[in-house]
Every structure is written in structure tokens, then in C-alpha cells.
Amino acid sequence: MIDVLWISIIGAGLVFLGLAILWLLMDLLVRATRIKRKEDTLGLNSDLEKEKDLQYKQKAAAASVAVSIALLNTSFLSSRKKSNQGMSSWQISHRNQQIHNRVKPIYRNRVIK
């Protein structure tokens, strides 16, 4: 029983040791591949870039709002489906039952042949 406990402890320790080594390797890779930016002495270019980025985000937000409004005003349903939207749940269940009964014999005929 003690041997099993020691094997479990050693296995868990090796797992955590492996995770720590992987974490350290990932940290080293991130530090080695990090791109260093040149600092502007005047800071004018960074302000212009931030302003352009803000304008770009505002245009993207406006476009997304326009698309969502346009999609709300359109309908992808056919006119036949629109006329059936006023059906009660009772009528819908019977219609589904009729469709199911119509498809069932067709499927049986295909299997028999």
C-alpha cells in the first residue's frame, strides 16, 4: 500500500514539474519574440495613430448598426410562411402529423424496393 502511495506522489510531482518547465519555456519564447516599438520623441505620430484608430472603430460601429437596422427591416420568410404565422399550436401539431404520415409510407416504399 505504501508503494502505491509513493508512486502516486512521484507521478504527481513529475506532472507539476513538467508543467512548470513548460511554463518557463513559454515565458522565454514570449520574451524572445516580443517586438519592441520605437518610442517617438515628440509623440505626435502616436496621437495621430490613436485618432485614426478611434475614427476607424467609430466607422465600424456605425456600419454594424446600419446593417443590423437593415436586417430588422427585411424578412427572409416567404409569403406562404407569413400567412401561416397566425396558426394556433393545435393547427401546427395537426399539420406536422399530416406531413409525418405522408412521408412515412413513402419511406417504407423506398425501403421495401
Side-chain angles (χ1 to χ4, degrees):
M1 183 69 178
I2 294 177
D3 292 335
V4 172
L5 184 62
W6 278 109
I7 291 172
S8 299
I9 291 172
I10 291 172
L14 288 174
V15 167
F16 284 111
L17 180 67
L19 288 173
I21 290 171
L22 282 175
W23 177 68
L24 289 173
L25 287 174
M26 286 189 303
D27 189 36
L28 289 174
L29 281 173
V30 168
R31 288 181 190 208
T33 59
R34 184 178 297 163
I35 299 172
K36 296 181 181 178
R37 294 186 180 182
K38 296 179 182 177
E39 297 292 329
D40 292 330
T41 56
L42 299 175
L44 296 175
N45 290 338
S46 63
D47 290 338
L48 290 174
E49 288 176 6
K50 287 180 183 178
E51 186 176 334
K52 286 181 182 179
D53 187 44
L54 179 64
Q55 289 176 353
Y56 177 73
K57 287 180 181 178
Q58 288 174 344
K59 287 180 182 179
S64 65
V65 168
V67 168
S68 64
I69 290 172
L71 286 175
L72 285 175
N73 292 334
T74 60
S75 176
F76 294 106
L77 298 173
S78 67
S79 61
R80 188 182 70 172
K81 288 184 181 178
K82 284 183 182 179
S83 65
N84 291 341
Q85 285 180 346
M87 293 175 32
S88 68
S89 59
W90 184 260
Q91 290 171 328
I92 292 171
S93 66
H94 280 289
R95 171 117 356 132
N96 286 336
Q97 186 177 8
Q98 288 174 349
I99 291 171
H100 179 68
N101 288 338
R102 190 180 312 153
V103 171
K104 196 173 183 180
I106 295 171
Y107 181 74
R108 285 184 186 165
N109 290 340
R110 288 183 183 169
V111 173
I112 291 172
K113 291 180 181 179

